[in-house]
Amino acid sequence: MNAVGYTRVSTDGQATDGVSLEAQQARIRAWCEANGYVLVNVHVDAGLSGCRADNRPGLQDALTSAARHKAALVVYSLSRLARSTKDAIAISERLAKNGADLVSLSERIDTTTAAGKMVFRMLAVLAEFERDQVAERTKGALAHLRNQGKRISGKIPYGYDLAGDGENLVSNPTEQSGLQLIQRLQAKGLGRRRIAAQLTRRGIPTKSGSSWSPQAVAGILRRATASGPKNNYI
């Protein structure tokens, strides 16, 4: 029986998961030896996000090799393989179509069995649900900080300056005038290009000192609608 290994870390993967490429490969080799599999090769994606499967050359090579050898694709965990249920299931179906299997060591998934296929699909859904929950909590925390007038990123929102404590935001009167003008002009039905022209004509500066553009105005209007004016970065 043949096996093909696949390992991945994102740019912050080692700090987040504490599982290096070398550690993943060691686990894969140990599993192959313990279960009588011949490890044909190991493919690697270093410093690549797992959000999409089609932009990871190492994964695509691993899938092709597993299909060619009708081997088991062995990964350390589902998080190394895919970050969405759609991609995880698509990968599993591609392998099955070519007579190959999937083994995830952390979750002890083996799609050579019907039970393994069912568990794989369930865990893929649960993994995506957990990531969505984390994203939701992060969004809520940022919204709370924004409402408290706190700095939430390296950029200072248009309309505000950073206070001396390096944490809180204070109103910038000149930029606040710009924000109010943008809102009035939009209410009058002016488009982004005409609003940008008005801002330039009136000498209202952007946060960076560059020229006003329709894209800059659109960014302010979009973020004001979604999050309020404290998130308008220009």
Side-chain angles (χ1 to χ4, degrees):
M1 297 181 290
N2 292 324
V4 172
Y6 172 70
T7 62
R8 180 186 67 82
V9 291
S10 58
T11 53
D12 60 352
Q14 288 172 294
T16 301
D17 298 328
V19 183
S20 66
L21 292 172
E22 292 76 14
Q24 293 177 51
Q25 291 178 20
R27 284 288 303 277
I28 291 171
R29 294 182 188 281
W31 181 89
C32 290
E33 292 177 4
N35 291 275
Y37 278 75
V38 175
L39 185 59
V40 177
N41 44 48
V42 177
H43 297 274
V44 178
D45 280 319
L48 291 179
S49 168
C51 291
R52 289 171 49 193
D54 58 0
N55 66 346
R56 286 183 277 155
L59 175 59
Q60 295 306 315
D61 289 343
L63 293 171
T64 299
S65 180
R68 182 189 309 122
H69 295 283
K70 297 189 182 302
L73 177 63
V74 186
V75 297
Y76 174 77
S77 70
L78 287 181
S79 66
R80 302 302 89 203
L81 180 69
R83 302 293 284 179
S84 74
T85 301
K86 179 181 177 181
D87 272 352
I89 291 178
I91 289 169
S92 176
E93 291 177 344
R94 175 177 170 181
L95 292 169
K97 183 179 179 180
N98 289 280
D101 294 300
L102 174 64
V103 174
S104 179
L105 303 181
S106 295
E107 295 84 4
R108 298 186 180 182
I109 294 173
D110 184 344
T111 62
T112 58
T113 67
K117 289 184 174 70
M118 179 190 71
V119 172
F120 168 74
R121 285 172 170 80
M122 290 175 62
L123 286 175
V125 171
L126 291 173
E128 185 174 28
F129 174 66
E130 182 180 5
R131 288 190 295 273
D132 289 342
Q133 281 191 313
V134 171
E136 189 175 81
R137 288 194 294 268
T138 300
K139 183 178 179 181
L142 291 176
H144 175 72
L145 291 174
R146 188 180 300 115
N147 291 333
Q148 295 295 315
K150 304 289 186 179
R151 180 182 187 176
I152 61 172
S153 74
K155 294 182 178 180
I156 307 304
Y158 185 78
Y160 296 84
D161 292 324
L162 186 62
D165 59 10
E167 180 180 350
N168 291 287
L169 300 176
V170 294
S171 179
N172 180 312
T174 301
E175 294 179 2
Q176 286 292 331
S177 297
L179 287 174
Q180 294 168 11
L181 177 59
I182 290 173
Q183 293 168 350
R184 291 198 302 271
L185 294 176
Q186 183 192 34
K188 291 180 179 180
L190 272 68
R192 294 171 294 178
R193 188 176 300 278
R194 293 178 64 189
I195 292 175
Q198 285 280 351
L199 293 168
T200 300
R201 184 175 64 82
R202 300 189 187 201
I204 296 177
T206 65
K207 175 67 75 176
S208 64
S210 59
S211 301
W212 283 100
S213 67
Q215 293 76 19
V217 173
I220 281 184
L221 292 174
R222 180 176 63 253
R223 288 184 287 267
T225 299
S227 307
K230 289 184 182 179
N231 198 29
N232 296 316
Y233 302 109
I234 294 296

